[in-house]
Amino acid sequence: MTRHRQHTHFDFAKLTERERYKILIGTVIPRPIALVTTLSKEGLPNAGPFSFFNVLTHDPAIVAIGVENYADMRFKDTARNIRETGEFTVHICDDALVDQMEVCAIKFGPEVDELTEAGLATAPGQMVRSPRILAAPAALECRRHTTLQVGPAREIILGEVLGVYVRSDAVNPTNLHIDQQLMDAVGRMGGHTYTRTRDQFDVKTQTKEEWNSRKSVSEPVIA
């Protein structure tokens, strides 16, 4: 018999914004990290990491990032730049990039180039104007699809992926298999904690026929 653990229930209507945040980042783990680069309408580069991020669909190819405004409701540079230019590039963050990614998380003013501060070399984008971080294992060039204003303090930006760069030694261009170990991606946990993705295992979903066959073997025969 399976022994069930006890659980504590939280009514989100009775929690503060900060309390809801702590519960969510502690339970929805690990979260992939989007290191997003943009250009302002004047052409100034910007970079910032976001762990409220994921891919939503492949047809069309859509990714989503959740961007929180400043306390005075001003847009962060990333949100403002995407609104003004309609373009951004999402970089997957690997273990080697963590320290430089954290520099990009510092709340610099819009006049500061986080890429320069972090010592990150870039190249111009191919399908968008936002710069591409050369050290990142993958870069998704995106065009803004939809911006959802989900509250006064946060918006969700949906981006259509126009093209992707993947480090050449990690991808087979024939069958499109990507080596997850070489990608060496990191994820965000609760608080200041990150996790590596080096401990991996495979689970293959069974077909209905395989499941039924397995059940018939395990079920006892009653004479």
Side-chain angles (χ1 to χ4, degrees), residues 117-159:
E117 295 293 324
L120 288 168
T122 64
Q126 179 171 327
M127 306 188 78
V128 297
R129 294 189 307 124
S130 46
R132 176 170 63 91
I133 297 172
L134 298 177
L140 291 70
E141 296 185 314
C142 302
R143 176 175 57 215
R144 184 176 71 88
H145 180 278
T146 307
T147 299
L148 304 174
Q149 194 74 35
V150 295
R154 182 173 291 275
E155 60 184 30
I156 297 172
I157 301 169
L158 304 183

Side-chain angles (χ1 to χ4, degrees), residues 9-221:
H9 180 261
F10 297 91
D11 183 348
F12 266 31
K14 298 178 181 178
L15 301 181
T16 66
E17 175 271 335
R18 182 63 184 173
E19 289 168 338
R20 292 194 296 270
Y21 174 78
K22 290 184 67 175
I23 292 291
L24 288 173
I25 66 168
T27 55
V28 184
I29 54 175
R31 301 184 305 283
I33 302 165
L35 181 51
V36 179
T37 57
T38 57
L39 287 178
S40 70
K41 62 181 179 181
E42 294 81 16
L44 298 176
N46 176 266
F50 300 88
S51 69
F52 282 17
F53 156 70
N54 220 314
V55 59
L56 301 185
T57 176
H58 68 285
D59 187 22
I62 298 291
V63 295
I65 57 173
V67 184
E68 187 177 19
N69 297 335
Y70 288 113
D72 61 2
M73 296 300 112
R74 287 182 300 117
F75 290 127
K76 287 187 176 178
D77 297 336
T78 296
R80 187 191 64 251
N81 290 349
I82 293 174
R83 278 176 174 265
E84 292 178 346
T85 68
E87 297 179 342
F88 60 102
T89 300
V90 170
H91 301 83
I92 302 304
C93 187
D94 64 6
D95 188 44
L97 267 179
V98 168
D99 289 341
Q100 291 166 299
M101 178 268 293
E102 276 296 321
V103 174
C104 295
I106 297 173
K107 293 180 172 59
F108 295 115
E111 74 284 355
V112 175
D113 178 359
E114 290 86 355
L115 296 165
T116 299
E117 295 293 324
L120 288 168
T122 64
Q126 179 171 327
M127 306 188 78
V128 297
R129 294 189 307 124
S130 46
R132 176 170 63 91
I133 297 172
L134 298 177
L140 291 70
E141 296 185 314
C142 302
R143 176 175 57 215
R144 184 176 71 88
H145 180 278
T146 307
T147 299
L148 304 174
Q149 194 74 35
V150 295
R154 182 173 291 275
E155 60 184 30
I156 297 172
I157 301 169
L158 304 183
E160 181 179 0
V161 181
L162 305 178
V164 180
Y165 283 93
V166 182
R167 53 180 287 185
S168 297
D169 61 341
V171 61
N172 183 326
T174 301
N175 62 11
L176 304 183
H177 172 75
I178 295 178
D179 188 319
Q180 304 294 289
Q181 295 287 347
L182 287 178
M183 288 288 288
D184 201 21
V186 296
R188 188 68 185 268
M189 306 291 279
H192 302 291
T193 305
Y194 291 84
T195 184
R196 298 181 177 91
T197 56
R198 295 170 186 170
D199 181 14
Q200 301 175 8
F201 59 94
D202 293 335
V203 177
K204 181 182 177 183
T205 302
Q206 301 174 70
T207 65
K208 181 177 65 176
E209 290 74 22
E210 289 171 335
W211 173 249
N212 288 334
S213 175
R214 181 179 176 182
K215 280 182 62 180
S216 64
V217 171
S218 61
E219 288 175 350
V221 177

